[in-house]
Amino acid sequence: KDYSWGNAELYEWTNTNGEKMQGVLVKPENFDPKKKYPMIVNFYERSSNRLYRHRAPYPHRSTINYAFYTNRGYLIFNPDVKYREGYPGESAFNCVIPGVTSLIGEGFVDAANIGIQGHSWGGYQIAYLITKTNLFKCAESGAPVVNMFSAYGGIRWGSCLSRMFQYEHTQSRIGGTIWEYPIRYLENSPLFFMDKVETPVLNLHNDKDGAVPWYQGIEFFVAMRRLNKPAWLLNYNGEPHWPLKRQNRLDFNRRMAQFFDHYLKGAPRPQWMERGVPAMEKGILQGFETKE
């Protein structure tokens, strides 16, 4: 009773294939349907079955904390995704975008201030979405695969398994090898469509990531910068697929909050977004301060 937790509810809409979809919508405490709220879309695969799961406030290693953001006036939308084999990126588009536009139609979402956030498989889908739509004001895409060709031949360092299996028949759902379906691998690789991106991107990718090759994050960041697009890369040295050390999780969550507040609430841009954090200043001058 001493805290503003927000309220979670089930939200339903229809995807582009005419299928009924569900997702979790989290509203701030004392929600007023006559007001316009900034919104962050956060998703992975399916989360509607977690409607009643309590999300304790703490610095998460890879995602936004729902209580933290709703307490500060944000809506959170977590839509489910139904996948078609061979077209994972398109499947995400066909489910997520109709859900967001349906919510905009409710009248309480500030359509000009919608962000999107996700990690790993969620980060991949976000990287894909921003090549297809300018609906989002900004995006945080953590540890995404952006080039399925260069990632296909790698090894997951933790298990020592070839990465091929996950692209062919598990999470990436391509349905076969790069020799059988080269066009599918191309169409589902955001890197080759980065010239279409207009959304500012914050990317978290650590140099000891054993699940998604760190060079995927580098390819993403370098492509965005080569195209003169706004992008930032966070790398916590020696950390795996996500920051595990508490000080790094705190750092990541603080930078992500400043990133979203700047784009979705008009807050001043912090110094780390202006000039980065040079290697010689890491751990000394963090750049959290603003000019104001």
Side-chain angles (χ1 to χ4, degrees):
K1 67 180 179 60
D2 296 328
Y3 298 92
S4 178
W5 295 104
N7 299 291
E9 61 186 51
L10 202 63
Y11 186 76
E12 298 184 344
W13 71 98
T14 303
N15 69 12
T16 56
N17 297 321
E19 300 171 295
K20 293 294 184 182
M21 301 296 302
Q22 292 184 324
V24 176
L25 176 64
V26 188
K27 298 175 178 177
E29 204 88 8
N30 302 315
F31 171 78
D32 183 351
K34 296 179 181 179
K35 292 183 178 180
K36 299 280 188 180
Y37 293 86
M39 183 169 75
I40 299 177
V41 181
N42 164 262
F43 70 103
Y44 190 77
E45 288 193 356
R46 182 190 177 202
S47 297
S48 62
N49 59 336
R50 302 176 186 177
L51 175 64
Y52 299 110
R53 175 174 293 185
H54 175 63
R55 299 174 184 265
Y58 75 102
H60 203 283
R61 60 191 184 181
S62 64
T63 189
I64 57 172
N65 182 269
Y66 286 22
F68 174 77
Y69 280 89
T70 55
N71 188 56
R72 298 168 64 248
Y74 284 95
L75 292 167
I76 306 294
F77 179 46
N78 190 323
D80 289 349
V81 177
K82 291 184 178 180
Y83 296 97
R84 182 163 70 103
E85 184 175 285
Y87 305 92
E90 182 181 295
S91 297
F93 183 95
N94 291 343
C95 295
V96 174
I97 302 304
V100 174
T101 55
S102 177
L103 273 172
I104 292 173
E106 301 285 350
F108 50 74
V109 176
D110 184 350
N113 289 295
I114 302 175
I116 190 166
Q117 193 275 329
H119 193 83
S120 194
W121 181 241
Y124 157 72
Q125 293 171 100
I126 289 168
Y128 179 92
L129 288 180
I130 62 175
T131 69
K132 304 298 181 184
T133 179
N134 295 324
L135 180 62
F136 303 104
K137 185 92 170 279
C138 61
E140 194 282 324
S141 171
V145 168
V146 295
N147 183 350
M148 290 194 178
F149 288 104
S150 61
Y152 180 81
I155 291 174
R156 293 179 68 99
W157 299 119
S159 62
C160 297
L161 293 175
S162 164
R163 296 178 51 79
M164 295 178 181
F165 76 93
Q166 67 189 73
Y167 295 101
E168 294 175 12
H169 296 297
T170 57
Q171 193 169 56
S172 295
R173 302 170 171 89
I174 297 299
T177 70
I178 58 173
W179 303 280
E180 293 175 287
Y181 298 113
I183 301 302
R184 289 186 185 180
Y185 280 85
L186 175 67
E187 291 176 341
N188 286 287
S189 294
L191 179 72
F192 302 105
F193 307 96
M194 288 291 166
D195 57 323
K196 309 298 183 186
V197 176
E198 296 183 13
T199 308
V201 175
L202 176 64
N203 174 217
L204 164 68
H205 212 145
N206 298 323
D207 51 19
K208 293 297 182 181
D209 193 330
V212 176
W214 181 43
Y215 264 80
Q216 291 294 306
I218 294 175
E219 288 189 49
F220 191 2
F221 176 70
V222 171
M224 289 286 287
R225 298 301 295 149
R226 177 65 183 84
L227 294 165
N228 294 314
K229 299 177 184 296
W232 295 263
L233 173 63
L234 302 180
N235 167 34
Y236 295 95
N237 297 135
E239 291 277 47
H241 193 45
W242 35 55
L244 295 180
K245 295 177 182 177
R246 182 173 176 81
Q247 66 266 31
N248 290 337
R249 297 203 313 268
L250 286 166
D251 186 277
F252 166 57
N253 277 268
R254 186 173 180 183
R255 294 186 197 279
M256 182 163 57
Q258 287 187 319
F259 176 78
F260 281 127
D261 284 353
H262 171 66
Y263 281 107
L264 304 183
K265 286 187 167 185
R269 180 182 284 204
Q271 286 297 300
W272 68 267
M273 291 180 67
E274 289 284 351
R275 60 186 292 269
V277 179
M280 294 295 290
E281 296 180 10
K282 289 184 72 171
I284 302 170
L285 301 175
Q286 302 287 47
F288 290 125
E289 69 281 357
T290 63
K291 288 183 178 180
E292 297 184 4

